[in-house]
Amino acid sequence: MRRLANTALLLSLLLCIAPANTQENYRVERPMEIQEKLKAAYLAKGLAYRPRTEHFNEDGTPTYTNRLILEDSPYLIQHAHNPVDWHPWSEAAFERAKRENKPVFLSIGYSTCHWCQRESFENPAIAALLNEHFIAIKVDRESHPDVDEVYMTAVMLLTGRGGWPMSSFLTPEGKPFYGGTYYPPDQFTSLVSQISQIWQEKRGDVETQAERIAEAVAKSNRLSGESKAFDLANASRGVSAIAQIYDEIQGGFGQAPKFPQEPWLFLLLDQAERDGDSQTLEMLETTLDHMARGGIYDQAAGGFHRYSTDFEWLVPHFEKMLYNQAHLSRVYLRAWRLTGKPKYLRVATQTLDYVMREMTSPEGGFYSATDADSEGEEGLFFTWTLAEISDVLAPEDADLAKSLYSVSRQGNFEGRNILHLEQTLEDYAKEHKMALEALHQRVDHINSVLLKVRNQRVPPLRDDKIVTAWNGMMITAFAEAADLLESPTYREAAEKAAEFNWQHNRRSAGQLWRVHLDGRSSILAAQEDYAYLAEAMLTLYDLTGERPWLERSIELTDALIKRFLDVDGGGFFMNEADAEITAMGRPKDDGSDNAIPSGSSLALHALQRLWQHTGNLTYRQQIDNLISRFAPSIEKQPHSYGYMLTAITNHKQGELQSRAYAAQGGIRLEGQLTPHSNKSMRLTIAIEIPPGWHINSNEPGNEGLIGTQLRLAEENHGWTLGPVTYPEGEQQRLSFQSTPLSLFSGQTILEAFVTSGDTPAGSTLPVSLRLQACNDEVCLPPETPTLRLKLP
């Protein structure tokens, strides 16, 4: 993002004023009823509640309690006992700023952010400055992604970089005039003093600066260009752009710190499967291999840390986010489906099992994250000394663990060891002349012992809020795994979480809450909440065939269009119109991916799949319009739209699934390949036709009707389809036909053998089925859905 020009105005003003002296501690007097309300909220937390503060009265109660004690956010509650007179994001806070003629200090972070637990806010002298001269607002970015987007854009425009904690200074109308990220206490004290003095002495200059920044933010909030035809070559251009920053040695993209970049991995998966390009597949596999072997992957428990601080994936930032588990489990599962390599399935299932074990509430919802720190030290919970490994494992297991995980006396992280694999388990087994399955069993045993011991340590803080969008991601991951692996356990996890979110985070028909915590749901849902949950419900419908899941997806997608679509400018707003409380306007989702796929990308996926599932032309029109509107932006930077590109290729080239729908979603097709001999596979297509409908048989008895025909798609890689066994058609006389016709209805099975082929085991075989669906009164146009079947 381009840095805002001429920001030197405020900077020069800051530099020319000397820091003011720190004031004595100052407490804002509150009405008695507010004090009593805060006290009651604190007492309601119960005996298990541990205030996160260094300030206590003689009786052990916290010295300070502010409004954040009332909020549904672990991050805000962490700061509920700061001496700062914090407000949550609310109209009341800005009204107070206007009434008292004070600027606003806005602090944005999240619970597992190491630097967000700032020592400045526990400092009574710094708190006194803030309380006297500012209205202080604290925001959890995970609860308010729209607020975070607006003010991060401003900080990026001002400074050229961003991050958390984010610190912004605003006018009482919410317009930013200065901002940055982390400030050490001395620097922050000086900054607060100077900005207070500027506000009092040069307010006109400050407001001019704020107007210019607000205008720049508004300009960046608009989609670029005009609607145009989409070029399918954008997908391959995106892959080429990713290849430019691909690390050929360690996998991944760019230099340290290294993030998994899941949207790019989804795009690489899609293009490798569609095009069979070996270089694309190599980028994908090298990245997945090195992440799975590195310290970014929790070798003992499963699951991924948020990112690696180095280029070789060894030393992570130890926080664990739900969204990483959701997306990476899907990526590894699909990599297994594509390549047939068990190591990817192992990582996928270990990650899903970790979520079930450690990030799932008793009611079924999924928690948000776990912290990097425990007992005041980063990574202490996850790391080991050589002596600890020797003490907790049997001697032969300890020797294997030390060798396999490269455990040493000096360690690789502050005198301790991050468990990691210097080579794959396959290579280790070969080198040490061990059977791979036997090695797997021993490693699983070692990990189970280490995990049991580790769980006796003081664990990192867990953020227990249940975020609708993130739960949608995780539901989709479990549902896809249940489908591919035929796992009732994963199906139960997906269905239980979906029901929990539907019962607790659905405000009313077509309306959602974003957050659930401690039995209470709150905060108007953002666009991404509707989009991710709609995709989850649709995936559950694919898994189960149960229509209520489809109906829920339709409700959410229709609400998404109604509440968030920018009819005039194209694309989607991030929040509802009712959620806007400042003069900064509604932020737009420009469709580009960040740490997670954008809400716009998910909206395109939901619309594309609903069009296939229902035949509703409104959905097709919406997705075509959105693709045209995003086309100019995608053309400029295709790699920034990885997940959206997968939705577009699905729409224009067909989905890469073994399941398809026809007859406006009424007919469901399922395909499967099973081994028959070294050179042949048995192909089975199950057709589920709803009551009142039929399809023509392969020989309908009328030359004017389209007969059902099974065939291999053009890109069959040398496979040959043998004779197809069609069932005997039912003879029926229809109202528009004087002679009986041969038809298929209800459950219909087609079978054939496919032989030879040069496709590697583990890839997919495209199979198409030409059919025409009719009822007693009307025939739909002929169609040819394509299924891509996994080769065992």
Side-chain angles (χ1 to χ4, degrees):
M1 185 175 294
R2 186 172 57 87
R3 186 172 178 176
L4 184 65
N6 298 323
T7 55
L9 168 65
L10 184 63
L11 297 176
S12 63
L13 292 172
L14 289 173
L15 291 172
C16 71
I17 297 176
N21 292 327
T22 301
Q23 306 294 315
E24 293 299 318
N25 188 27
Y26 172 86
R27 286 204 194 184
V28 173
E29 294 294 331
R30 303 183 182 92
M32 185 59 67
E33 59 269 21
I34 296 180
Q35 293 278 15
E36 292 300 319
K37 186 176 181 181
L38 299 182
K39 181 179 179 181
Y42 163 68
L43 293 174
K45 295 290 183 183
L47 296 176
Y49 176 63
R50 295 291 181 267
R52 193 160 176 170
T53 183
E54 59 191 50
H55 304 291
F56 292 94
N57 299 316
E58 291 183 0
D59 61 1
T61 59
T63 305
Y64 307 97
T65 301
N66 58 57
R67 294 169 182 81
L68 301 186
I69 195 70
L70 304 171
E71 296 305 303
D72 297 333
S73 161
Y75 173 61
L76 298 191
I77 293 170
Q78 287 171 10
H79 294 271
H81 304 288
N82 292 158
V84 177
D85 183 29
W86 290 115
H87 293 66
W89 181 260
S90 61
E91 289 186 38
F94 287 97
E95 287 301 319
R96 183 180 174 190
K98 294 171 186 175
R99 185 171 61 251
E100 298 182 13
N101 196 27
K102 291 181 178 179
V104 170
F105 170 65
L106 175 65
S107 175
I108 300 179
Y110 57 101
S111 66
T112 58
C113 166
H114 177 74
W115 292 104
C116 294
Q117 317 311 325
R118 268 186 24 199
E119 61 273 39
S120 294
F121 302 143
E122 277 286 277
N123 185 311
I126 294 176
L129 280 174
L130 286 173
N131 295 342
E132 182 173 0
H133 300 293
F134 297 85
I135 302 301
I137 298 177
K138 174 70 74 173
V139 169
D140 182 341
R141 67 176 296 262
E142 296 170 353
S143 299
H144 289 284
D146 51 336
V147 177
D148 180 65
E149 175 68 20
V150 168
Y151 293 102
M152 181 60 75
T153 300
V155 168
M156 292 284 286
L157 288 168
L158 279 164
T159 67
R161 59 186 180 88
W164 300 276
M166 179 174 21
S167 305
S168 300
F169 295 88
L170 322 176
T171 67
E173 293 73 34
K175 297 180 179 180
F177 57 87
Y178 190 74
T181 53
Y182 172 75
Y183 297 100
D186 290 346
Q187 185 180 354
F188 186 64
T189 300
S190 176
L191 179 64
V192 168
S193 299
Q194 292 178 69
I195 287 181
S196 171
Q197 191 169 350
I198 290 172
W199 180 258
Q200 295 170 22
E201 298 178 2
K202 300 186 179 183
R203 181 167 174 176
D205 292 334
V206 171
E207 290 178 338
T208 298
Q209 174 84 342
E211 288 294 332
R212 294 176 59 252
I213 296 172
E215 290 173 5
V217 171
K219 184 177 180 181
S220 71
N221 204 28
R222 293 190 287 268
L223 295 180
S224 63
E226 300 293 333
S227 296
K228 62 181 297 184
F230 182 83
D231 183 355
L232 272 175
N234 284 326
S236 59
R237 292 191 194 109
V239 172
S240 298
I242 293 170
Q244 296 300 313
I245 52 175
Y246 164 64
D247 181 347
E248 296 179 356
I249 306 300
Q250 302 288 347
F253 314 99
Q255 300 300 312
K258 270 186 176 175
F259 290 80
Q261 302 288 2
E262 291 96 324
W264 290 359
L265 298 177
F266 279 119
L267 179 60
L268 294 179
L269 270 168
D270 180 85
Q271 292 299 293
E273 186 165 357
R274 288 186 190 279
D275 301 337
D277 181 72
S278 60
Q279 290 183 331
T280 301
L281 185 60
E282 181 184 354
M283 282 195 289
L284 175 71
E285 288 202 66
T286 301
T287 299
L288 297 188
D289 289 346
H290 281 82
M291 285 200 301
R293 286 166 42 200
I296 191 174
Y297 183 66
D298 188 343
Q299 302 293 335
F304 288 86
H305 300 291
R306 183 165 168 248
Y307 65 88
S308 173
T309 62
D310 56 26
F311 72 94
E312 57 185 336
W313 305 107
L314 174 61
V315 181
H317 183 46
F318 289 91
E319 62 185 326
K320 281 183 167 182
M321 312 300 295
L322 182 67
Y323 56 74
N324 290 124
Q325 318 315 318
H327 293 311
L328 287 172
S329 61
R330 291 178 66 197
V331 166
Y332 277 88
L333 187 68
R334 291 186 181 187
W336 166 74
R337 178 179 181 270
L338 175 62
T339 67
K341 295 182 178 180
K343 60 183 177 181
Y344 298 137
L345 179 61
R346 182 178 173 87
V347 172
T349 55
Q350 286 178 344
T351 300
L352 293 170
D353 293 345
Y354 156 73
V355 172
M356 291 182 64
R357 187 178 63 248
E358 299 187 30
M359 296 190 75
T360 304
S361 72
E363 299 80 13
F366 301 117
Y367 299 132
S368 292
T370 58
D371 205 342
D373 300 359
S374 59
E375 301 183 73
E377 293 186 38
E378 183 175 6
L380 180 64
F381 181 78
F382 299 98
T383 54
W384 301 83
T385 65
L386 186 70
E388 287 172 337
I389 295 291
S390 299
D391 289 344
V392 303
L393 293 172
E396 64 275 14
D397 288 336
D399 290 342
L400 176 58
K402 295 171 190 175
S403 170
L404 186 69
Y405 291 135
S406 301
V407 178
S408 65
R409 190 172 304 279
Q410 66 271 21
N412 53 30
F413 178 74
E414 299 178 359
R416 299 176 65 83
N417 290 272
I418 300 169
L419 303 185
H420 68 289
L421 297 168
E422 292 287 351
Q423 57 188 150
T424 66
L425 292 179
E426 292 81 358
D427 290 342
Y428 187 93
K430 288 179 183 178
E431 182 178 321
H432 293 81
K433 297 180 174 56
M434 301 174 65
L436 181 59
E437 184 58 33
L439 178 59
H440 279 158
Q441 292 176 0
R442 289 193 63 187
V443 170
D444 289 343
H445 171 70
I446 288 169
N447 289 343
S448 68
V449 174
L450 294 179
L451 183 60
K452 184 176 180 179
V453 172
R454 197 176 82 175
N455 286 341
Q456 297 172 12
R457 300 172 177 173
V458 176
L461 173 77
R462 186 179 64 201
D463 186 329
D464 287 352
K465 70 176 180 291
I466 294 169
V467 177
T468 302
W470 298 6
N471 271 244
M473 302 172 196
M474 202 70 241
I475 293 166
T476 297
F478 274 112
E480 288 186 352
D483 202 358
L484 277 174
L485 305 178
E486 299 181 356
S487 166
T489 301
Y490 292 158
R491 173 173 173 167
E492 181 183 359
E495 291 181 321
K496 190 174 181 180
E499 282 295 344
F500 177 89
N501 278 270
W502 195 252
Q503 297 302 322
H504 294 278
N505 281 4
R506 179 176 180 251
R507 299 166 57 201
S508 59
Q511 288 188 299
L512 296 176
W513 294 114
R514 178 166 174 84
V515 170
H516 182 88
L517 181 70
D518 295 337
R520 187 174 72 169
S521 299
S522 63
I523 304 175
L524 292 176
Q527 184 267 356
E528 68 175 17
D529 295 298
Y530 289 81
Y532 273 104
L533 194 58
E535 182 186 50
M537 297 298 181
L538 202 48
T539 308
L540 277 169
Y541 173 64
D542 283 342
L543 169 66
T544 66
E546 297 171 1
R547 191 163 182 84
W549 299 118
L550 176 63
E551 292 169 350
R552 291 179 180 184
S553 182
I554 290 171
E555 176 185 315
L556 293 170
T557 303
D558 290 348
L560 183 153
I561 296 298
K562 177 182 177 182
R563 295 179 178 279
F564 301 97
L565 183 68
D566 183 354
V567 177
D568 298 324
F572 294 98
F573 294 108
M574 292 183 67
N575 61 4
E576 292 198 47
D578 293 344
E580 196 55 45
I581 64 174
T582 73
M584 292 299 291
R586 296 174 71 184
K588 289 281 290 290
D589 177 358
D590 68 0
S592 62
D593 300 315
N594 292 303
I596 61 176
S598 69
S600 293
S601 298
L602 267 294
L604 263 67
H605 271 277
L607 288 165
Q608 179 270 325
R609 292 173 67 187
L610 279 177
W611 153 243
Q612 295 295 328
H613 286 55
T614 67
N616 186 332
L617 287 171
T618 300
Y619 295 135
R620 173 156 192 168
Q621 181 181 10
Q622 290 285 2
I623 190 172
D624 285 340
N625 290 342
L626 287 164
I627 290 172
S628 297
R629 188 63 192 89
F630 283 115
S633 299
I634 295 174
E635 193 172 88
K636 289 180 181 178
Q637 287 188 307
H639 64 289
S640 296
Y641 297 83
Y643 201 65
M644 184 177 288
L645 284 170
T646 66
I648 295 171
T649 54
N650 282 345
H651 182 57
K652 293 185 175 293
Q653 296 180 303
E655 294 186 55
L656 302 174
Q657 300 292 336
S658 61
R659 181 184 297 112
Y661 296 84
Q664 299 176 344
I667 294 177
R668 180 181 173 108
L669 312 173
E670 297 265 3
Q672 186 178 18
L673 289 169
T674 54
H676 179 258
S677 69
N678 288 337
K679 293 187 177 182
S680 68
M681 300 278 179
R682 181 189 297 274
L683 167 62
T684 304
I685 303 294
I687 309 172
E688 185 177 334
I689 305 169
W693 285 83
H694 62 264
I695 61 175
N696 301 323
S697 75
N698 56 308
E699 295 180 349
N702 184 321
E703 294 182 359
L705 297 178
I706 301 296
T708 296
Q709 183 181 8
L710 177 65
R711 58 192 176 191
L712 299 184
E714 292 182 4
E715 64 275 29
N716 58 48
H717 304 292
W719 288 86
T720 301
L721 179 69
V724 179
T725 301
Y726 295 95
E728 184 176 349
E730 305 170 20
Q731 297 295 314
Q732 294 188 27
R733 191 184 303 274
L734 303 180
S735 60
F736 59 83
Q737 180 75 24
S738 59
T739 59
L741 297 176
S742 178
L743 311 172
F744 296 147
S745 62
Q747 296 283 342
T748 301
I749 304 294
L750 311 183
E751 291 185 311
F753 288 100
V754 289
T755 58
S756 190
D758 57 6
T759 303
S763 63
T764 58
L765 179 67
V767 177
S768 64
L769 184 69
R770 188 183 66 170
L771 59 84
Q772 184 174 28
C774 306
N775 60 23
D776 192 43
E777 298 179 353
V778 65
C779 283
L780 300 177
E783 51 191 312
T784 308
T786 298
L787 302 89
R788 289 182 179 263
L789 309 183
K790 181 181 182 298
L791 288 163

